[in-house]
Amino acid sequence: MGKYKIAWLPGDGIGVDVLEAARIVLDKLQLDATYLHGDIGWEFWRNEGDALPPRTIDLLTNVDAALFGAVTSKPAKAAAAELAPKLQNNGCTYRSPIVRMRQLFDLYVCLRPCKAYPGNGLNFKENIDLVVFRENTEDLYAGVEFSPVPKELSETLARLAKPFAPFSRLAPDEFGISCKINTRAGSQRIARAAFEFARKNHRKKVTIVHKANVVRATDGLFLEEAKAVAREFPDIAVDDANIDAMAMWLLKNPFNYDVLVAPNLYGDIISDLCAQMVGGLGFGCSGNLGSQLAVFEPSHGSAPKYAGQHKVNPIATILAVKMMLDWLGESAQAVTLEGAVAEVIREGSVRTYDMGGSHTTLDLAQAIAAKL
Ligand SMILES: NC(=O)c1ccc[n+]([C@@H]2O[C@H](COP(=O)([O-])OP(=O)(O)OC[C@H]3O[C@@H](n4cnc5c(N)ncnc54)[C@H](O)[C@@H]3O)[C@@H](O)[C@H]2O)c1
C-alpha cells in the first residue's frame, strides 16, 4: 500500500476517458498512492438497482480521498424504465450517486476555482480568477421531493400557507413539490469555509449569492448567517447580490468579484457560468470537501456522445488532481502540476477539439506529463 489510498471512480461516458488521462500525470508525478477502483454509475443502476453500491460506500469510508470522473443521471421515470427486467417494479428509486456521496459523507463544501490561464484562447477575459464555494448537502438538493403529492401534505400546506390555496385544488399527480431546506448550521459552515479560504489565500472579498428578496425563509436565513460569519472576518470585505443580478454582473464586471459563496442550486449554476468564462467545462474542476473525506472531480458530466472517443479535454480533471494534491498536503506537487498545465495552455501546440485542436485526451495529458 502506498502512503495514500485513493478511491478511483471513473463512472460513465467520458468519466472513463478523463480518469485515464489523470492517471498519466499521477504516474509521472510518482505520487506514493494506491488507487482502488470503485463501481459507480449507470451500469450499476441498471443491473443492481443502485448507482452507488454498498461496496463503493465501504471503499469510501476507508480512503484518504477519491477521484471521480462523471456519471450519467436521468429523471426518475426514465431511469426506472432502463432497469434490468428482474428489477422492474421492485421499488428501486434512482438518486444521483454524486449527490448521495455528498450527503452520506457530509461533503458540505463544493469548492470550484475558475482561473483564466494566460494564453487560453477560450478565456472570456484574461486574468479572471474566481473561486466559488457552493453549499453541497442542503437546499433544493436535500432530496425531499413529492410527485404525486400526498394528500396529507397538501392538506397541511393548505392549512399553514395561504399562497398554497390554488395548488390545493389540484389532483396529487398534477403537481410536484421539491423542498428547499437550508439550515442555520449549514449556512454558517459554508460561509465560514469561504471566509477562511479568503483569509488564508490573501483574497480581498467574499460575495454572498442569494435570492433573499423573494425566497425569504431559506435564502433570507442563508444571507443572515453568512453576514454574521462575515463579522468574524473584518479583514475581508463582504457584499451580497441576488443570483439573477449576479449572473449579469459577473459577465459585465468579473474583476469586481473574488470569492463567491452560495446555497447549493445557485452555486451549481454560477460555477458553470464561471467555468465558461475561463474556457468552458473542459477547464472546470471541483472539490467536494468534508471533515473526513474529499472527492475531486471535473465539473462536467459524462457527455455520452463523446464516450470512449478520447476526444474531450482532460484539463478539468487534471486540475481536480491538483486540488486533490493540495488536500493531501502535497502542495509542492500541486504547484508543479498547475505550472505544467499553465505552460501547455500557454504554448497552445497540443489542444483538444474544444480548444480548436484535434489532439486526443491522452495527447494532452501526455503533453502535461512531459512538463513535470
Ligand atoms: N458530476 C456528474 O457526474 C455530472 C455533472 C453534470 C451532468 N452529469 C450527467 O452527464 C450526462 C450528460 O449531461 P450534459 O450533456 O448536460 O453535460 P456534460 O457536461 O456531460 O456535457 C455537455 C457538453 O459539454 C461539452 N463537454 C463536457 N465536458 C467536456 C470536456 N471535458 N471537454 C470538452 N467538452 C466537454 C460537450 O460538448 C458535452 O456534450 C447527463 O446524464 C447528466 O445528468 C453528470
Side-chain angles (χ1 to χ4, degrees):
M1 278 286 170
K3 180 174 171 195
Y4 303 114
K5 280 196 274 180
I6 311 289
W8 196 256
L9 311 173
D12 300 315
I14 62 166
V16 178
D17 301 25
V18 293
L19 252 60
E20 200 180 332
R23 193 57 175 271
I24 291 173
V25 298
L26 279 163
D27 286 349
K28 186 71 192 291
L29 283 168
Q30 296 186 325
L31 182 71
D32 185 8
T34 303
Y35 303 100
L36 302 161
H37 177 90
D39 292 336
I40 188 168
W42 201 245
E43 180 191 337
F44 304 98
W45 162 250
R46 291 185 66 181
N47 297 322
E48 300 178 27
D50 194 348
L52 182 67
R55 58 186 176 281
T56 307
I57 296 172
D58 285 348
L59 169 71
L60 288 166
T61 57
N62 203 14
V63 292
D64 298 294
L67 194 66
F68 167 61
V71 288
T72 296
S73 275
K74 297 189 184 177
K77 275 186 192 159
E82 290 196 30
L83 276 172
K86 62 176 184 205
L87 295 171
Q88 292 281 341
N89 305 315
N90 79 344
C92 301
T93 307
Y94 183 80
R95 282 201 68 204
S96 156
I98 179 68
V99 173
R100 277 182 63 210
M101 259 193 298
R102 288 167 180 158
Q103 288 175 341
L104 274 171
F105 294 96
D106 200 22
L107 308 175
Y108 65 95
V109 173
C110 185
L111 170 58
R112 293 187 162 175
C114 297
K115 191 192 278 192
Y117 288 95
N120 183 354
L122 298 171
N123 287 339
F124 173 60
K125 288 181 179 164
E126 292 295 330
N127 300 318
I128 291 175
D129 188 4
L130 297 161
V131 179
V132 179
F133 275 76
R134 165 190 174 193
E135 198 291 321
N136 220 13
T137 57
E138 306 191 337
D139 201 55
L140 268 167
Y141 293 65
V144 183
E145 304 197 273
F146 303 92
S147 177
V149 178
K151 222 168 176 324
E152 309 96 275
L153 179 60
S154 213
E155 284 166 2
T156 305
L157 287 172
R159 197 157 36 81
L160 297 179
K162 253 193 188 166
F164 190 75
F167 305 109
S168 67
R169 291 188 280 274
L170 297 172
D173 60 354
E174 278 177 13
F175 68 130
I177 295 181
S178 299
C179 298
K180 176 169 159 74
I181 304 178
N182 301 75
T183 65
R184 291 200 183 277
S187 307
Q188 274 169 23
R189 66 180 181 172
I190 188 68
R192 189 161 285 110
F195 279 95
E196 278 170 356
F197 173 93
R199 183 176 275 169
K200 192 168 164 210
N201 293 280
H202 312 291
R203 298 274 181 160
K204 294 195 165 42
K205 185 168 83 168
V206 174
T207 301
I208 307 161
V209 183
H210 60 86
K211 186 72 184 173
N213 57 337
V214 177
V215 191
R216 289 160 304 181
T218 46
D219 286 0
L221 179 148
F222 184 89
L223 179 59
E224 196 179 311
E225 293 305 327
K227 279 185 167 171
V229 169
R231 288 194 282 278
E232 296 168 24
F233 295 83
D235 47 321
I236 310 289
V238 61
D239 64 0
D240 69 274
N242 284 316
I243 175 69
D244 46 343
M246 193 70 240
M248 179 272 292
W249 286 120
L250 269 174
L251 280 180
K252 195 160 188 270
N253 296 324
F255 303 112
N256 286 357
Y257 300 96
D258 193 344
V259 176
L260 310 169
V261 62
N264 210 332
L265 178 63
Y266 309 146
D268 195 6
I269 295 168
I270 216 102
S271 54
D272 269 22
L273 172 61
C274 293
Q276 191 57 42
M277 294 201 293
V278 298
L281 288 176
F283 295 83
C285 55
S286 182
N288 302 279
L289 318 177
S291 51
Q292 304 296 325
L293 177 71
V295 178
F296 298 89
E297 55 167 332
S299 308
H300 61 72
S302 61
K305 69 181 176 191
Y306 294 128
Q309 296 177 28
H310 290 114
K311 196 171 167 177
V312 297
N313 192 337
I315 287 179
T317 310
I318 292 172
L319 290 172
V321 169
K322 181 251 171 213
M323 294 178 79
M324 183 174 82
L325 293 169
D326 274 326
W327 165 267
L328 293 171
E330 298 289 347
S331 314
Q333 288 202 333
V335 169
T336 306
L337 181 56
E338 187 178 22
V341 170
E343 208 178 325
V344 169
I345 293 174
R346 191 174 54 246
E347 286 175 3
S349 49
V350 183
R351 289 170 292 139
T352 43
Y353 86 94
D354 56 314
M355 300 167 81
S358 56
H359 290 89
T360 69
T361 307
L362 303 184
D363 291 337
L364 189 42
Q366 270 146 6
I368 292 167
K371 304 281 184 197
L372 295 169

